[in-house]
Amino acid sequence: MTTIRREVLTLPAAPLGPDNPLPPLRPLDEAHHIDERDRAGLPRDMARQVDYEPLRSLLPLRVRDGYDREREPREVDALVIENDRLRATVLPGLGGRVASLHHKPTDRELLYVNPVLQPANFALNGAWFSGGIEWNIGATGHTTLACSPVHAARVPAPDGGEMLRLWEWERLRDLPFQVDLWLPEGSDFLHVGVRIRNPHERPVPTYWWSNIAVPEDRRVLAPADEAWLFGYERRLRRVPVPSYDGTDRTYPLNSTHPADYFYEVPDGRRRWIAALDEHGHGLAQTSTDLLRGRKLFVWGTGSGGRRWQEWLTEPGTGGYCEIQAGLARTQLEHVRLEAESDVSWLEAYGPLDAAPRGEWHAALRRAEDRLEAVLPRDDVDAAYEAWLPYADAEPGQSLATGSGWGALEVLRTGWKLPGTPFAEDTLGDEQRPWLHLLRAGSLPEPGRHEPPGSTLVARPWRDMLETTAATPIAEYHLGVAQWHGDDRAQAVRSWERGLKTAPAGWPLLRCLAVADREDGHHERAADRYTEAFDDLCERLREQREETDVRVEDAQWTAVAAALGREAIEALLAVGRTADARAVWQRLRPATRARGRFRLTEAELLAAEGRREAARAVFDEGFEVADLREGAESIGRLWARLGDEPLPARHDFRMRPDGG
């Protein structure tokens, strides 16, 4: 009989810290763009979906960059669903990640289980961690929900038992979704029903990839003779499977550099992928046909890939690769979800035993025959049909609570979403100003010593902001919404109007500085950043005098760090090193000691011509906790300081040319 229970895991974990309080106005820093030279040869449907509304902004979200690398034992809430064959451990506070899938008869762990919880800058909005099965929705890249809570509850399962339902509101595309996990009696396979809804009166781009981390000492099998290869040099090309350039790439450790292999699974062929060790043991994932894409991601054996593997876990821990399944051929595409419709499918995860070595097609036949024997394709289709009537089942006992954003949207629209209730009692402090705007028609001013909250940018909220009283806080949020809507001239006008009467000018000045920088007015941007940072420091001084204590609140520390970092970058861009140094000196010592700011210090020293002092920063050692996937800033700075090879601890290069 299937059971669902709460559990608490204790593992070494770094705290997430506060989010970056500054709205992300600059274009999305996303590595998954196709070189224009490669577009001409794409299949027509693939080319259309590559060009279909790629994500250009993180708004209304904020960047999650407040974490560090100081790990200590911490408790993590978990939900465990198990029968007599399998035990799945789910982390509802971390995107609903399946952290472990344990096969009880053989006592085998089927996934790569990360022994630590170390955030790193891989999600679209920053914080992400490796391991397990993650549910990627929204847009190309790791989900913004990777380190966020989702709702969870018990619901009836098709076989009369219980399912674990996870659901949330995906804010980049404003789409509710659900993930139902259950274990049919006696089954060796975890069944997962997924549904994404579009309640809007217009089509919406959608995206889904289920991402499965498995140990990398495997052979990865998928029913394909070709794959689309995409690497960090941003070239997309069709290559043969299993071998090209004289090397069998279905063994992850045979690749040197990080790369994606998107398998071209023929129409009509069963959708599946498996990772098997040298003894023929491992994990298989299969699905109904709608989930068409299959992918292998490898870190490779090069120095950069190995360094990233160490960065995401602990030295001495075995490496991993990822096998994935998605709605499109590649992760470079978005799929059109029609107005007032939904899309759904069923996945299954379980053990597979088949000899992986030898000739490619023979290995595929052995694995596919074995998969058909333990989980027939018709049974997967039948399980999907059996699950569909239960997708609308109302949740029973609540097991975890996600965000209040879905509740706010349901209150605004009156949408009925059977099976995924977004209850009003989930509304919190973040939603409260917007609830007031919705019900009272006005946006309340934040407290005197509170920075502005996050901005809602969807057109209905922008319309409300345009008709409410033109207070400084309303002009600030309206400008952010207009900027997101690509109405930049109006955004600048809104921020300028708000600045005239704002009690604190730094939020508006910073927005105007970003606008100047994006428009190529770099000197004016530097001036405005300087003025914004000066104003912030004055506000903090006033707070200290009024309260007679130092202002050390985490949110204000995050504000000063984020604004100071941007100001220094803008000032260095126009050669104003003395002004950049002045900003640096006013940052708190604890901020300057963080790895990100140690790198900033080295950049500042190099700009001042003090190469030996900049080199000394490297010699003393630092770790940039929020170093971005594919970032090459450390290597570029090192190259400016001398001719020596980049030290291994700083080598995060992911491109074949070494960055």
Side-chain angles (χ1 to χ4, degrees):
M1 182 177 178
T2 298
T3 61
I4 301 172
R5 69 176 188 276
R6 288 189 175 95
E7 200 169 271
V8 176
L9 308 180
T10 301
L11 70 163
L16 282 171
D19 291 353
N20 189 318
L22 306 181
L25 300 176
R26 300 190 71 183
L28 189 67
D29 175 22
E30 221 295 296
H32 299 89
H33 297 294
I34 299 177
D35 190 293
E36 290 300 320
R37 292 170 289 178
D38 299 327
R39 289 180 179 270
L42 299 181
R44 187 171 300 173
D45 63 329
M46 185 173 167
R48 183 175 62 251
Q49 291 182 163
V50 164
D51 290 329
Y52 179 48
E53 294 195 35
L55 190 68
R56 304 189 189 281
S57 169
L58 275 179
L59 290 168
L61 285 94
R62 289 180 164 180
V63 174
R64 312 202 70 179
D65 61 1
Y67 51 88
D68 57 32
R69 294 185 57 80
E70 299 298 320
R71 296 191 291 264
E72 60 183 53
R74 300 178 192 274
E75 292 186 346
V76 178
D77 290 335
L79 299 171
V80 177
I81 176 170
E82 69 178 313
N83 63 4
D84 60 340
R85 313 290 295 176
L86 279 177
R87 179 172 64 249
T89 303
V90 180
L91 307 180
L94 295 165
R97 182 84 57 101
V98 179
S100 167
L101 187 61
H102 186 81
H103 188 234
K104 294 159 78 170
T106 59
D107 195 27
R108 289 190 197 126
E109 175 58 51
L110 302 181
L111 305 174
Y112 166 79
V113 176
N114 195 335
V116 305
L117 178 57
Q118 177 58 62
N121 193 356
F122 277 74
L124 283 164
N125 60 335
W128 171 88
F129 65 102
S130 64
I133 306 171
E134 61 176 310
W135 317 113
N136 290 300
I137 182 173
T140 296
H142 291 284
T143 177
T144 61
L145 293 164
C147 291
S148 296
V150 297
H151 303 281
R154 301 175 190 268
V155 292
D159 61 358
E162 286 186 319
M163 291 191 294
L164 173 60
R165 174 163 298 161
L166 311 170
W167 74 99
E168 219 351 313
W169 195 274
E170 199 290 307
R171 300 183 66 206
L172 291 175
R173 305 297 196 183
D174 267 337
L175 299 177
F177 72 99
Q178 70 189 79
V179 178
D180 289 353
L181 302 94
W182 84 100
L183 292 164
E185 185 176 355
S187 176
D188 283 295
F189 280 79
L190 175 68
H191 286 44
V192 182
V194 182
R195 177 170 61 173
I196 306 172
R197 285 180 162 124
N198 176 15
H200 302 279
E201 296 178 345
R202 67 184 191 283
V204 176
T206 192
Y207 171 95
W208 184 278
W209 281 80
S210 301
N211 185 349
I212 310 128
V214 292
E216 65 184 350
D217 57 344
R218 300 287 189 268
R219 190 182 199 189
V220 173
L221 305 175
D225 293 324
E226 292 182 310
W228 295 93
L229 169 61
F230 184 77
Y232 284 80
E233 70 278 21
R234 299 186 179 182
R235 298 303 306 272
L236 181 70
R237 58 190 184 275
R238 197 191 295 250
V239 299
V241 174
S243 298
Y244 87 95
D245 265 356
T247 303
D248 188 334
R249 306 291 173 165
T250 62
Y251 292 91
L253 292 173
N254 282 353
S255 291
T256 304
H257 302 287
D260 298 328
Y261 295 87
F262 297 102
Y263 294 114
E264 187 70 70
V265 180
D267 290 342
R269 193 77 181 266
R270 182 174 185 177
R271 307 301 188 190
W272 65 276
I273 191 168
L276 305 176
D277 66 19
E278 61 180 349
H279 305 294
H281 307 313
L283 170 85
Q285 187 271 1
T286 187
S287 71
T288 47
D289 289 351
L290 185 76
L291 201 67
R292 65 170 298 179
R294 292 299 184 275
K295 170 193 162 182
L296 165 64
F297 167 75
V298 299
W299 282 108
T301 57
S303 57
R306 303 328 292 174
R307 182 68 180 110
W308 275 116
Q309 292 252 36
E310 294 174 355
W311 188 252
L312 296 170
T313 181
E314 291 181 328
T317 303
Y320 75 96
C321 63
E322 294 168 358
I323 58 175
Q324 303 185 21
L327 279 175
R329 274 188 182 91
T330 73
Q331 289 173 332
L332 308 168
E333 304 166 67
H334 296 94
V335 176
R336 180 183 174 100
L337 186 55
E338 297 297 339
E340 299 179 331
S341 69
D342 62 57
V343 61
S344 62
W345 63 90
L346 185 128
E347 305 179 46
Y349 298 81
L352 187 69
D353 295 296
R357 295 189 177 276
E359 194 272 330
W360 177 242
H361 292 100
L364 287 181
R365 280 195 300 272
R366 287 192 296 269
E368 200 158 22
D369 288 348
R370 182 59 184 160
L371 180 60
E372 184 67 19
V374 295
L375 184 64
R377 183 178 185 179
D378 288 347
D379 285 4
V380 175
D381 293 337
Y384 170 69
E385 295 298 331
W387 166 72
L388 272 179
Y390 291 82
D392 284 346
E394 288 304 307
Q397 180 193 11
S398 175
L399 299 171
T401 302
S403 78
W405 295 113
L408 186 66
E409 290 302 318
V410 167
L411 284 172
R412 180 183 67 80
T413 61
W415 284 326
K416 305 299 181 185
L417 302 169
T420 53
F422 293 95
E424 191 169 342
D425 62 9
T426 63
L427 292 166
D429 290 341
E430 287 186 290
Q431 294 83 39
R432 197 155 288 121
W434 301 96
L435 182 63
H436 193 275
L437 177 63
L438 179 65
R439 288 179 167 168
S442 63
L443 197 64
E445 289 287 332
R448 176 168 166 75
H449 298 311
E450 292 180 15
S454 58
T455 305
L456 294 181
V457 296
R459 188 71 214 203
W461 293 105
R462 176 177 162 182
D463 290 344
M464 282 185 255
L465 288 168
E466 288 177 340
T467 56
T468 192
T471 62
I473 191 65
E475 296 286 16
Y476 165 81
H477 286 299
L478 175 58
V480 174
Q482 289 166 332
W483 183 270
H484 176 266
D486 208 26
D487 195 350
R488 296 191 170 191
Q490 284 286 17
V492 168
R493 282 193 282 272
S494 295
W495 292 326
E496 288 175 341
R497 283 195 306 269
L499 187 59
K500 292 176 182 177
T501 57
W506 66 263
L508 295 146
L509 285 164
R510 181 264 175 179
C511 290
L512 290 167
V514 174
D516 284 334
R517 205 165 175 198
E518 289 300 299
D519 289 340
H521 304 303
H522 297 292
E523 281 289 353
R524 193 165 68 194
D527 288 340
R528 278 179 160 155
Y529 266 121
T530 301
E531 190 178 353
F533 193 73
D534 288 346
D535 183 73
L536 174 63
C537 291
E538 180 63 19
R539 300 286 81 75
L540 295 176
R541 185 191 63 77
E542 290 175 359
Q543 288 184 50
R544 286 195 297 271
E545 290 180 354
E546 289 179 16
T547 60
D548 199 32
V549 295
R550 285 190 58 80
V551 181
E552 296 288 359
D553 184 89
Q555 65 177 345
W556 284 112
T557 299
V559 168
L563 184 56
R565 176 176 160 187
E566 288 187 14
I568 291 171
E569 181 183 319
L571 289 162
L572 290 179
V574 295
R576 290 164 56 174
T577 55
D579 292 338
R581 173 63 66 181
V583 173
W584 167 262
Q585 289 172 340
R586 282 183 288 171
L587 293 173
R588 293 172 181 164
T591 297
R592 296 200 300 260
R594 291 176 57 188
R596 165 59 65 184
F597 288 86
R598 293 287 283 158
L599 177 60
T600 299
E601 181 183 18
E603 291 169 340
L604 178 56
L605 289 165
E608 293 170 332
R610 300 163 64 188
R611 292 176 56 185
E612 291 303 317
R615 173 63 184 267
V617 175
F618 278 88
D619 294 340
E620 292 166 11
F622 60 87
E623 292 185 323
V624 182
D626 63 326
L627 189 69
R628 184 66 175 164
E629 172 191 10
E632 297 169 354
S633 54
I634 294 178
R636 285 197 298 266
L637 177 58
W638 177 264
R640 289 167 52 197
L641 300 178
D643 299 325
E644 295 181 31
L646 183 66
R649 68 180 180 275
H650 292 305
D651 188 356
F652 294 92
R653 295 172 294 186
M654 300 177 79
R655 293 192 292 162
D657 62 7

